[in-house]
Amino acid sequence: MEREPIGVVGVGWVGLVTAACFAELGHEVWARDIVPEKVESLARGEVPIHEPGLPELVTKNAERLHFTTDMAAVLEQTELLFVCVDTPPTYSGDADLSRVRAVVERLPEDAEHALVMKSTVPSGTGAAIRRDMPGLAYVSCPEFLKEGSAVDDFLNPDRVVIGSDPGDEWAADAVASLYEPLGGEIVRTDVASAEMIKLASNAFLATKISFINEIANVSEEVGADVTEVARGMGLDDRIGGAFLKAGIGYGGSCFPKDVSALKQLAGNSGYHFQLLNSVIEVNELQKRRVIGKLTKHLGSLVGKRIALLGLAFKPHTDDMREASSLVLSARLQGEGAEVVAYDPVATGAASGLLTGTDFATSAEEALDGADGAILVTEWPEFADLDWAAMAEKMRNPVLVDGRNFLDPEAIRAAGFRYEGIGR
Ligand SMILES: NC(=O)c1ccc[n+]([C@@H]2O[C@H](COP(=O)([O-])OP(=O)(O)OC[C@H]3O[C@@H](n4cnc5c(N)ncnc54)[C@H](O)[C@@H]3O)[C@@H](O)[C@H]2O)c1
């Protein structure tokens, strides 16, 4: 069976995963980006991001993957254009739609393609594009992949949301048939609701994280253990255990900006979304509480050498967008500490961002001679460290486990003063 060729516009995390996965499903994929170096390296089979399984998929499907800077070539070859450009926050906290507009405005006026919006955009974006470009069909198909397991998430979706408005059903049907082989439940709805499903999902997950972080902070006051509390709560089907892990807060390219975008969208529409203000504030304060956990053991941090273990916003990625390590490094230096940092894959991405920080090439090197350490990202290799040997190497074996990742008893037995979050 001849498979529909696919156009992808914007070949970053979402775009490259989309392109590689549709190629894996047997489609010819024409993928366009505006950064020539990125396109050239992808054409050579080099994947510029750390995402498990992605390089293998790109190599395996190289014959079906066509990377280009030329939009005309994509338009000529395809009818469905998956838009995967970035929508970062503006200074006002609204979503910056300039890249989305740049894509739409450069389409020829007589284009009769279907735009399939995978970028996260505020409700109302699709309606505005449709008004401006009446010849285009428009489908909202928000992406829910998680960095670190993006390929698996794409190929095994929990659900696929497809929003279309009257007149564009043909395009929504075509998108639905692309996803049918993957087996997730397909949620057909209108465009505005599809756009809202994405923002509301991320805002809800962020709310869950801020909620359990506040429970952690209260647990510290009353002598409860938040990991036990979360276990007991999560077994209730109505609550669920996912995203009930207390820690130093959420980061990454999506939650902070999407929570802010939803808050602004509500405000711009005349509604004050009070809950989200608290979610954001709790998350900001949570990172800073770590400093108090260090000073409890070390007193003033002036001149103290503090090791950051893990820099990326989560394990199995080198994405540094809104990573907690950025705030922690700046705050520690503000307190007069020297910061030494290690991450298994994100050092390159972090080096231009973590100013004034020394970089180590291993966790052992970062901990050598340190007065304290913060586990920032729960990379599995940190569980396998010889912590007794690490305690010997450090000047002061103080560890703040920002992700409640390690076994407190084992770390204390190794000679550490251990501080978790909410336990
Ligand atoms: N990263 C995630 O985990 C994730 C998950 C779900 C949804 N999203 C959403 O998907 C969208 C993309 O996110 P991302 O993380 O892949 O972003 P990204 O920054 O990794 O990639 C965006 C790509 O678009 C390219 N681009 C910008 N303008 C362009 C244009 N006019 N034409 C062609 N290419 C252009 C950029 O050069 C870049 O390669 C965002 O809206 C994001 O919120 C991201």
Side-chain angles (χ1 to χ4, degrees):
M1 186 181 72
E2 182 87 353
R3 296 201 195 278
E4 171 108 36
I6 304 288
V8 172
V9 186
V11 196
W13 240 283
V14 169
L16 187 54
V17 170
T18 302
C21 289
F22 278 134
E24 172 73 4
L25 294 175
H27 300 268
E28 292 289 320
V29 178
W30 298 79
R32 189 245 177 173
D33 205 283
I34 47 171
V35 179
E37 304 77 50
K38 186 180 268 194
V39 169
E40 284 157 20
S41 65
L42 283 166
R44 287 193 300 270
E46 293 161 17
V47 172
I49 52 175
H50 180 88
E51 186 57 51
L54 190 54
E56 292 81 350
L57 224 52
V58 169
T59 305
K60 183 176 164 207
N61 296 292
E63 279 191 1
R64 282 193 287 273
L65 282 166
H66 312 281
F67 297 105
T68 177
T69 51
D70 181 9
M71 191 64 194
V74 179
L75 291 172
E76 195 184 315
Q77 298 290 338
T78 65
E79 188 172 45
L80 298 177
L81 301 173
F82 283 75
V83 179
C84 306
V85 298
D86 40 330
T87 50
T90 60
Y91 286 115
S92 63
D94 293 276
D96 179 353
L97 296 178
S98 58
R99 284 102 169 141
V100 171
R101 279 199 212 99
V103 173
V104 177
E105 282 163 10
R106 291 196 189 125
L107 292 174
E109 266 178 32
D110 56 354
E112 289 178 346
H113 294 71
L115 276 194
V116 186
M117 188 59 66
K118 286 204 110 18
S119 297
T120 304
V121 296
S123 297
T125 306
I129 292 175
R130 194 102 190 310
R131 266 196 310 276
D132 294 346
M133 298 286 286
L136 285 179
Y138 187 95
V139 177
S140 169
C141 182
E143 182 52 62
F144 297 95
L145 62 77
K146 303 180 286 299
E147 288 179 20
S149 56
V151 169
D152 194 48
D153 292 342
F154 190 99
L155 294 174
N156 299 290
D158 292 340
R159 78 317 204 173
V160 177
V161 174
I162 299 177
S164 61
D165 289 334
D168 292 342
E169 288 86 358
W170 68 269
D173 289 346
V175 174
S177 63
L178 294 179
Y179 279 97
E180 258 151 30
L182 301 179
E185 179 155 350
I186 294 188
V187 180
R188 291 286 292 262
T189 183
D190 60 280
V191 168
S193 301
E195 291 166 337
M196 185 58 95
I197 287 170
K198 173 65 193 176
L199 286 180
S201 298
N202 274 0
F204 184 75
L205 293 172
T207 303
K208 237 180 147 183
I209 294 172
S210 279
F211 179 85
I212 200 66
N213 282 338
E214 291 223 278
I215 295 294
N217 300 342
V218 180
S219 294
E220 286 177 7
E221 298 301 322
V222 301
D225 178 341
V226 74
T227 57
E228 292 295 300
V229 177
R231 186 163 66 95
M233 288 171 64
L235 290 170
D236 185 329
D237 280 348
R238 295 168 303 172
I239 298 174
F243 283 77
L244 277 188
K245 288 202 171 67
I248 50 178
Y250 60 79
S253 68
C254 289
F255 283 5
K257 84 171 172 66
D258 292 348
V259 174
S260 164
L262 179 52
K263 179 187 132 172
Q264 297 303 334
L265 175 67
N268 298 342
S269 327
Y271 181 73
H272 178 64
F273 204 145
Q274 188 153 336
L275 181 60
L276 292 185
N277 283 326
S278 301
V279 170
I280 294 166
E281 192 183 357
V282 168
N283 196 54
E284 284 310 309
L285 294 175
Q286 196 67 11
K287 296 171 205 163
R288 289 165 169 77
R289 284 174 65 88
V290 172
I291 306 294
K293 289 177 185 288
L294 281 178
T295 54
K296 178 174 149 193
H297 295 283
L298 299 174
S300 163
L301 297 182
V302 174
K304 301 271 162 58
R305 188 167 170 83
I306 307 297
L308 298 181
L309 297 183
L311 300 173
F313 86 96
K314 66 190 277 193
H316 308 292
T317 181
D318 59 352
D319 197 342
M320 285 294 296
R321 289 178 283 188
E322 301 283 335
S324 297
S325 60
L326 297 168
V327 172
L328 285 173
S329 172
R331 278 297 306 121
L332 288 164
Q333 291 181 60
E335 295 292 321
E338 275 174 37
V339 180
V340 54
Y342 167 71
D343 189 284
V345 301
T347 305
S351 56
L353 301 169
L354 286 171
T355 45
T357 305
D358 291 338
F359 289 96
T361 54
S362 66
E364 289 86 341
E365 186 188 326
L367 293 168
D368 198 1
D371 292 287
I374 306 172
L375 193 152
V376 183
T377 314
E378 63 277 37
W379 278 100
E381 69 171 60
F382 297 147
D384 299 333
L385 278 176
D386 179 348
W387 283 100
M390 297 304 111
E392 292 285 315
K393 274 178 174 276
M394 289 177 72
R395 193 156 39 206
N396 269 309
V398 172
L399 177 70
V400 179
D401 180 358
R403 302 291 173 190
N404 287 345
F405 181 58
L406 303 170
D407 174 1
E409 293 320 313
I411 298 298
R412 288 191 182 109
F416 275 86
R417 279 173 286 163
Y418 173 93
E419 289 280 335
I421 308 291
R423 60 173 175 170

